[in-house]
């Protein structure tokens, strides 16, 4: 979480907002407290001014009788100050100077305003500071509460704004993460924040360099495979001519092994060329293709291989099933699947091809009675030249790699599983074409 840029930015700005809000609250509290004290001081001045203007009669000392529903600590008292008055007759010292001041008498602190009238009489208007301070603090707190309540609201709003601001970066990352391994197209030139654009430009340059490097490697493989076809064809013809001559049995046996090796080499070159064609970046024109005619054509081509092992090979399904794919790539993909099933099926085995279509899309399922593939190898078998441990069947390990490459280019999905229902045996390959 600490490595998250969004978390770090939100936390830093939230701490800054909280600190500024606390400082602002403290300043507001002090100013509101001072304003409340100043307002109460002005009230004492106004009482003294009222007595001066109205020439109200005053009594010596502090009256113990007040309005019943007023807190005694909240009362404002008015007292005459005489130098020779008895101490018990006055609640405040008679020697207080004129003006606003704070005095303590009998353990009680008073806020006092002293004024000399035109007649020479000195009066004191006073109020206990305890109640005044309580009123001022409550007033200041009421002024600070809205600021404190805004802190969580501001933090939540800030987190939402940061999340929204970083959304283009997450969208860009999701787009890159959702791409296939062969999709090296540059990022679309969509409007994005200026801070992210250099990052997108750098990614596009990297993708261009990777695409160029991959294209060079694929061209090399395709060119090498193409160049090797002629020598292997010549060797195959020479082997056939040599077989027509009178050879001793041992030589014929070795010639048969030689011809088998040449045949495997030619098959490998054909698969390499098919893989190179499947990995080409420009995709052939794709249109709605009927599946069953393509599958029947594949079965006709591979029927000799199936008859050599006495396999029961058949296809069934919805006659009108159609998928959007390039014809040549579609044929190459299913030919590799069926040929792979024939190679791994036992003698007198069975291979079933089923086509199923619904609203979600079209599924082509190929079941055989071979040894199957364990779940831990489902990802590895799609790697080029990978062969399962203990697999002695002929082949170079390119068939499923070609199938996955073509499926990815066609937008199809491949899943592997066991074809046997009672025990884990046989291989089931399902190719799903979304509607």
């Amino acid at each position: 979480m600490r490595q998250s840029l969004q978390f770090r930015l939100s936390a830093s700005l939230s701490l800054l907002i909280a600190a500024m809000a606390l400082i602002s609250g403290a300043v507001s509290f002090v100013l509101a407290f001072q304003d409340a004290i100043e307002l109460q001081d002005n009230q004492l001045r106004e009482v003294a001014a009222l007595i001066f203007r109205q020439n109200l009669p005053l009594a010596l000392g502090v009256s113990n009788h007040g309005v019943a529903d007023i807190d005694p600590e909240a009362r404002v008292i008015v007292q005459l100050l005489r130098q020779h008055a008895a101490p018990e007759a006055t609640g405040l010292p008679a020697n207080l100077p004129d003006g606003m001041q704070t005095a303590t008498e009998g353990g009680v602190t008073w806020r006092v305003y002293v004024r000399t009238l035109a007649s020479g009489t000195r009066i004191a208007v006073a109020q206990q500071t305890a109640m005044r301070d309580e009123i001022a603090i409550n007033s200041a707190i009421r002024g600070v509460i809205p600021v404190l309540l805004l802190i969580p609201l501001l933090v939540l709003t800030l987190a939402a704004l940061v999340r929204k601001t970083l959304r283009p970066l997450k969208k860009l990352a999701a787009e890159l993460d959702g791409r296939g391994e062969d999709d090296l197209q540059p990022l679309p030139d969509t409007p994005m924040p200026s801070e992210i654009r250099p990052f997108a430009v750098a990614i596009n340059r990297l993708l261009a360099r990777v695409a160029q490097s991959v294209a060079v490697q694929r061209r090399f493989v395709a060119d090498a495979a193409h160049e090797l076809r002629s020598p292997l064809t010549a060797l195959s013809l020479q082997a056939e001519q040599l077989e027509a001559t009178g050879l001793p049995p041992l030589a014929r046996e070795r010639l048969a092994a030689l011809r088998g090796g040449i045949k495997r080499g030619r098959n490998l070159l054909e698969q390499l060329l098919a893989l190179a064609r499947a990995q080409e970046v420009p995709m052939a024109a794709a249109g709605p293709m009927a599946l069953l005619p393509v599958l029947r054509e594949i079965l006709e081509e591979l029927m000799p291989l199936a008859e050599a092992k006495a396999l029961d090979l058949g296809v069934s399904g919805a006659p009108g099933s159609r998928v959007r794919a390039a014809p040549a790539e579609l044929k190459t993909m299913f030919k590799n699947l069926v040929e792979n099933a024939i190679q791994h099926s036992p003698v007198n085995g069975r291979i079933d091809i089923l086509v199923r279509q619904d609203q979600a899309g079209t599924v082509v399922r190929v079941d055989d009675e071979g040894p199957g593939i364990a779940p831990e190898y489902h990802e590895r078998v799609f790697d080029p030249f990978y062969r399962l441990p203990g697999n002695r069947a002929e082949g170079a390990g390119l068939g499923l790699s070609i199938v996955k490459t073509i499926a990815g280019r066609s937008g199809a999905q491949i899943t592997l599983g066991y074809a046997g229902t009672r025990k884990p045996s046989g291989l089931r390959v399902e190719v799903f074409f979304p509607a």
Side-chain angles (χ1 to χ4, degrees):
M1 181 65 72
R2 294 182 179 179
Q3 300 299 326
S4 170
L5 180 61
Q6 175 179 330
F7 174 78
R8 293 168 60 184
L9 185 60
S10 299
S12 301
L13 293 178
S14 298
L15 291 176
L16 179 61
I17 289 177
M20 297 301 295
L22 291 176
I23 295 175
S24 176
V27 173
S28 299
F29 181 87
V30 173
L31 294 179
F33 181 83
Q34 293 177 351
D35 289 343
I37 295 296
E38 185 65 24
L39 177 62
Q40 294 178 97
D41 288 347
N42 289 335
Q43 290 177 350
L44 298 181
R45 294 188 183 95
E46 290 177 1
V47 171
L50 179 64
I51 295 174
F52 176 76
R53 289 194 299 269
Q54 301 296 331
N55 195 19
L56 298 177
L58 299 173
L60 183 65
V62 180
S63 175
N64 293 324
H65 302 287
V67 182
D69 57 352
I70 295 180
D71 190 344
E73 294 182 353
R75 291 184 300 171
V76 176
I77 66 171
V78 180
Q79 176 184 333
L80 289 174
L81 297 180
R82 295 182 178 179
Q83 295 293 336
H84 303 290
E88 63 275 10
T90 60
L92 295 171
N95 59 351
L96 293 175
D98 287 1
M100 190 67 66
Q101 56 205 286
T102 300
T104 301
E105 184 69 22
V108 179
T109 304
W110 298 82
R111 187 67 172 171
V112 184
Y113 177 70
V114 180
R115 180 170 181 175
T116 302
L117 303 181
S119 60
T121 304
R122 302 180 71 240
I123 64 171
V125 183
Q127 188 179 29
Q128 290 187 24
T129 58
M131 179 58 65
R132 287 165 51 91
D133 292 344
E134 182 179 351
I135 294 174
I137 290 174
N138 291 336
S139 176
I141 290 176
R142 284 192 293 270
V144 173
I145 285 178
V147 177
L148 298 179
L149 292 178
L150 280 176
I151 294 179
L153 180 61
L154 288 175
V155 170
L156 294 177
T157 304
L158 174 66
L161 290 176
V162 171
R163 189 182 305 110
K164 183 178 180 181
T165 303
L166 296 179
R167 190 175 300 167
L169 187 59
K170 291 186 176 181
K171 183 178 179 181
L172 181 64
E175 180 181 352
L176 288 173
D177 188 56
R179 288 190 173 192
E181 58 183 11
D182 295 328
D183 188 0
L184 298 177
Q185 296 296 322
L187 296 172
D189 189 15
T190 56
M192 61 181 64
S194 57
E195 293 80 5
I196 302 178
R197 182 167 295 277
F199 181 64
V201 171
I203 290 179
N204 284 339
R205 291 176 179 172
L206 176 61
L207 290 175
R209 293 193 295 268
V210 173
Q212 183 178 5
S213 176
V214 171
V216 170
Q217 294 179 4
R218 290 172 178 172
R219 282 198 303 269
F220 173 78
V221 173
D223 293 343
H226 183 74
E227 290 298 326
L228 287 174
R229 293 177 69 181
S230 298
L232 283 178
T233 302
L235 285 175
S236 179
L237 292 176
Q238 292 177 6
E240 291 179 1
Q241 294 175 0
L242 185 60
E243 187 178 12
T245 63
L247 294 176
L250 181 59
R252 287 186 178 276
E253 182 180 348
R254 294 182 177 178
L255 179 60
L258 174 62
R259 294 189 63 183
I262 294 174
K263 182 180 178 181
R264 288 192 296 271
R266 293 183 64 180
N267 291 336
L268 173 60
L269 291 179
E270 293 297 334
Q271 285 191 321
L272 284 174
L273 288 174
L275 180 61
R277 286 192 296 266
Q279 292 177 340
E280 290 178 357
V281 176
M283 184 175 177
M289 286 287 301
L291 270 176
L292 287 181
V294 174
L295 295 175
R296 291 194 180 100
E297 182 180 353
I298 293 172
L299 295 187
E300 291 177 1
E301 294 181 4
L302 298 179
M303 190 57 68
L305 295 178
E307 291 177 349
K309 300 180 70 172
L311 299 177
D312 182 6
L313 181 60
V315 59
S316 62
S321 300
R322 305 175 72 88
V323 296
R324 183 171 295 276
E329 295 184 349
L330 189 67
K331 183 177 179 180
T332 301
M333 177 170 62
F334 287 112
K335 185 176 180 180
N336 276 275
L337 283 179
V338 177
E339 190 172 7
N340 186 72
I342 293 174
Q343 289 180 355
H344 293 86
S345 294
V347 178
N348 297 320
R350 180 185 179 91
I351 298 175
D352 293 324
I353 304 174
L354 175 65
V355 179
R356 186 179 69 254
Q357 189 172 33
D358 54 23
Q359 294 181 352
T362 303
V363 177
V364 180
R365 191 178 72 193
V366 181
D367 291 346
D368 62 51
E369 296 180 349
I373 299 177
E376 59 267 24
Y377 296 110
H378 284 180
E379 293 295 331
R380 291 293 310 276
V381 294
F382 291 107
D383 295 339
F385 301 105
Y386 180 78
R387 295 174 62 86
L388 291 173
N391 182 11
R392 297 182 179 180
E394 293 185 1
L398 290 175
L400 289 179
S401 179
I402 296 173
V403 170
K404 183 179 180 181
T405 301
I406 296 177
R409 289 162 58 83
S410 302
Q413 301 173 4
I414 301 179
T415 55
L416 303 181
Y418 287 116
T421 56
R422 296 183 179 179
K423 62 178 181 178
S425 63
L427 177 64
R428 170 171 292 177
V429 182
E430 290 188 348
V431 183
F432 173 68
F433 295 88

